[in-house]
Amino acid sequence: MTTAARPREDESGEYAPRGRFDRVVGLVIAGIVILAAALLWLAVAASGPAPTIAVSQDAVIGIWRVLYNADAPDTSVILAAIALALLAAAGLALLEQRIATRSRRSMNPTHQPLAPKVIMEATRGEFAGAVTVTVLIPAHNEEASLPQTIASLNGQSHRPERIIVVADNCTDATVRLAREAGVEVVESVDNTSKKAGALNQVLRVVLPQQGDNDVVMVMDADTRLDDGFLAAAVQRFAADRALMAVGGLFYGEQGHGLIGQFQRNEYLRYARQMQRRRGRVFVLTGTASLFRPVALRTVAAARNRTIPGTPGDVYDTAALTEDNELTIALKSLGALMVSPQECTVVTELMPSWRTLWNQRLRWQRGALENIGAYGITPTTLRYWAQQLGIGYGVIALGAYLALILLTVVSLETWIWFPFWLGLGLLFAIERVLGAWKGGWRARLLAAALLPELLFDMFLNLVYVKGIIDISFGREANWKHLSHTSPAGDLELQEA
């Protein structure tokens, strides 16, 4: 096994500091994807038909003359493609299930101290009291959205016992509005590590005060909980003392025109994907997630030993996407977590292409850095597969759009291919069903197909930019969406 494929521990069992693998993760993914695409191209070229122009057939419909070609790939090629797709999907699902099963069965408190059997054994015969909720809201200049966030918490059927606004270097009315709303305010002290650093400061004080059933919730200041969120989450924790975290499912706020609808459709499809996964967590979203104190304390104790980070910190301040990194950390320690369909939130959307580009570049760069920091382990295999899938999608969609453009500019007559039209129709139906819950606007945009394909290409360009930046070691900056411009517009500023 190569160094890149081993868990990031040295001979003493201590976590090895970040090294070269963090830089080459982008090159590794790009290399594998390009190699796979090249092999597929060679296979198709070797087995494909001779490069001749097939005879087109005419059909007359009223005054319209339609040219079409009934040719289709060989049946064996179609069956082989379907078999490979099913094999890949089944293999990934079985691998994920095996990893989850191994964590559930683990009795190793050294490497997986949060595994269900370990937790159940440690708490057997003990009653930790009723489940309570302490909410932490990290906020940097959030005067516009914070009052609605607090109101959504106070309006829950199960209200939190404690709400703490973590004010990080605020220069607006965030602190005043929080106090007027009757919640606690803790201001960060000399914090230069953004959201993660501010939360670490507060958690060092809050966690020692928490019992096993006093769960801690972290939610963004631009998020509103749907009613029933906390009641459903508390019920889950009360029913299963081995459950370490509950994540929310997020939906986009209304408004922002076409770019807003693109994002809402994207979030709807993610929620549908989570429903098919039966709540199995991929990322504990930073919009709203709840944790047992033992989970957060265990993460802090494991930093720089079995997982990356600074000892004593819950959040890794070197990570651009702290919520994704914390999810991988908890999974690496064997934690059981879930995202129930009842736990939904409405979150802020990016109002412009520039702000969306910066947000997604941070997400993409952070995801790459996280898997680079952890290396190739059973826990991170699913995340590596996702990045490889995105990379392959970049090539596939780019080639598809390029082929359409080439056809338009090179042929005088458009020829329809019924076989490929049928596949396209199935793809369009799936896209519409994925966004169905969003209403007629979401369905119409999905049915149009081409606009969303162009939006996907925009996200693909973000992916490529992230690969390039991390490969060249370019410094990444955490961007914050500020609401404080005089005209009320949204601007990107350094947090």
Side-chain angles (χ1 to χ4, degrees):
M1 185 180 291
T2 65
T3 302
R6 289 198 302 266
R8 301 282 298 256
E9 297 178 17
D10 59 23
E11 294 179 356
S12 65
E14 296 296 309
Y15 176 79
R18 290 176 169 85
R20 294 181 179 179
F21 192 65
D22 299 348
R23 287 276 300 275
V24 303
V25 57
L27 294 176
V28 170
I29 291 175
I32 294 175
V33 168
I34 293 173
L35 178 61
L39 290 176
L40 179 61
W41 175 268
L42 291 174
V44 171
S47 61
T52 59
I53 300 176
V55 178
S56 297
Q57 303 177 34
D58 297 353
V60 179
I61 305 176
I63 63 173
W64 298 102
R65 186 180 181 213
V66 179
L67 298 181
Y68 70 95
N69 191 311
D71 289 345
D74 187 78
T75 303
S76 61
V77 174
I78 297 175
L79 294 177
I82 294 174
L84 286 174
L86 292 176
L87 183 63
L92 186 60
L94 289 173
L95 176 64
E96 192 172 17
Q97 183 181 25
R98 182 174 180 180
I99 293 171
T101 301
R102 188 177 68 172
S103 295
R104 290 188 179 96
R105 294 177 178 175
S106 174
M107 284 294 291
N108 188 337
T110 301
H111 290 282
Q112 291 196 309
L114 296 178
K117 283 193 173 183
V118 176
I119 294 295
M120 296 288 280
E121 179 65 26
T123 58
R124 179 172 298 173
E126 298 181 7
F127 177 64
V131 176
T132 68
V133 179
T134 296
V135 181
L136 304 182
I137 308 175
H140 172 77
N141 291 346
E142 299 286 358
E143 62 179 8
S145 58
L146 183 61
Q148 293 181 344
T149 300
I150 296 174
S152 76
L153 286 167
N154 289 329
Q156 291 287 299
S157 55
H158 182 108
R159 294 183 60 175
E161 280 69 23
R162 189 179 181 190
I163 301 174
I164 303 174
V165 171
V166 184
D168 181 37
N169 298 316
C170 292
T171 58
D172 65 352
T174 295
V175 173
R176 176 177 61 81
L177 292 175
R179 287 176 175 152
E180 289 178 356
V183 302
E184 299 178 51
V185 178
V186 176
E187 298 187 61
S188 61
V189 179
D190 298 327
N191 176 46
T192 59
S193 297
K194 314 300 187 297
K195 174 182 174 180
L199 285 171
N200 283 336
Q201 288 187 9
V202 175
L203 287 169
R204 290 191 190 100
V205 177
V206 171
L207 283 180
Q209 307 169 0
Q210 305 295 300
D212 288 342
N213 275 349
D214 300 327
V215 299
V216 175
M217 179 178 183
V218 179
M219 69 176 296
D220 288 342
D222 54 17
T223 296
R224 302 186 303 276
L225 301 185
D226 288 333
D227 190 29
F229 184 109
L230 289 183
V234 167
Q235 190 277 329
R236 292 277 183 151
F237 281 115
D240 187 355
R241 71 177 189 272
L243 183 63
M244 291 293 103
V246 171
L249 296 177
F250 49 90
Y251 295 89
E253 64 183 355
Q254 293 301 312
H256 306 304
L258 182 61
I259 191 174
Q261 193 62 60
F262 279 134
Q263 295 172 78
R264 283 190 290 275
N265 281 16
E266 184 185 15
Y267 293 168
L268 283 167
R269 293 189 180 99
Y270 175 77
R272 188 166 180 260
Q273 180 186 7
M274 292 303 300
Q275 185 177 11
R276 291 198 301 264
R277 287 171 57 87
R278 299 179 182 177
R280 294 194 301 273
V281 171
F282 191 70
V283 175
L284 287 168
T285 172
T287 54
S289 293
L290 298 95
F291 309 88
R292 284 197 192 273
V294 64
L296 300 182
R297 287 194 286 258
T298 302
V299 168
R303 293 289 186 196
N304 204 42
R305 291 178 54 247
T306 58
I307 58 175
T310 303
D313 283 353
V314 172
Y315 287 94
D316 183 4
T317 56
L320 280 174
T321 48
E322 67 287 327
D323 49 353
N324 183 67
E325 194 282 333
L326 183 58
T327 305
I328 299 177
L330 289 167
K331 285 189 174 184
S332 298
L333 299 174
L336 176 65
M337 55 191 82
V338 67
S339 289
Q341 291 295 308
E342 303 88 352
C343 296
T344 58
V345 304
V346 178
T347 191
E348 183 182 54
L349 298 178
M350 297 297 102
S352 69
W353 293 105
R354 181 172 66 93
T355 55
L356 181 63
W357 174 276
N358 286 326
Q359 180 201 55
R360 298 310 172 87
L361 184 58
R362 181 172 71 89
W363 288 3
Q364 182 57 52
R365 177 73 181 268
L368 291 171
E369 289 184 352
N370 289 339
I371 61 175
Y374 279 81
I376 301 176
T377 69
T379 300
T380 61
L381 282 177
R382 180 67 175 81
Y383 297 89
W384 280 94
Q386 183 201 37
Q387 293 302 317
L388 291 172
I390 295 174
Y392 194 83
V394 170
I395 295 177
L397 181 58
Y400 174 73
L401 293 177
L403 182 60
I404 289 179
L405 180 62
L406 182 63
T407 302
V408 170
V409 299
S410 62
L411 296 181
E412 296 180 358
T413 304
W414 188 274
I415 302 174
W416 299 96
F417 291 80
F419 174 81
W420 298 110
L421 284 175
L423 289 183
L425 180 60
L426 291 176
F427 178 72
I429 292 174
E430 192 279 332
R431 300 282 291 187
V432 172
L433 291 178
W436 191 264
K437 290 185 178 180
W440 69 268
R441 289 185 178 88
R443 301 166 196 167
L444 183 61
L445 181 60
L449 199 59
L450 184 59
E452 285 199 321
L453 289 181
L454 294 177
F455 177 71
D456 289 342
M457 200 64 209
F458 170 83
L459 298 180
N460 286 346
L461 293 175
V462 174
Y463 175 86
V464 173
K465 180 65 162 57
I467 291 282
I468 293 173
D469 285 353
I470 197 171
S471 299
F472 283 92
R474 294 172 182 169
E475 184 178 355
N477 294 319
W478 197 96
K479 298 289 185 179
H480 177 77
L481 191 64
S482 175
H483 301 262
T484 58
S485 62
D489 295 331
L490 298 171
E491 298 178 350
L492 272 179
Q493 300 177 352
E494 293 292 338

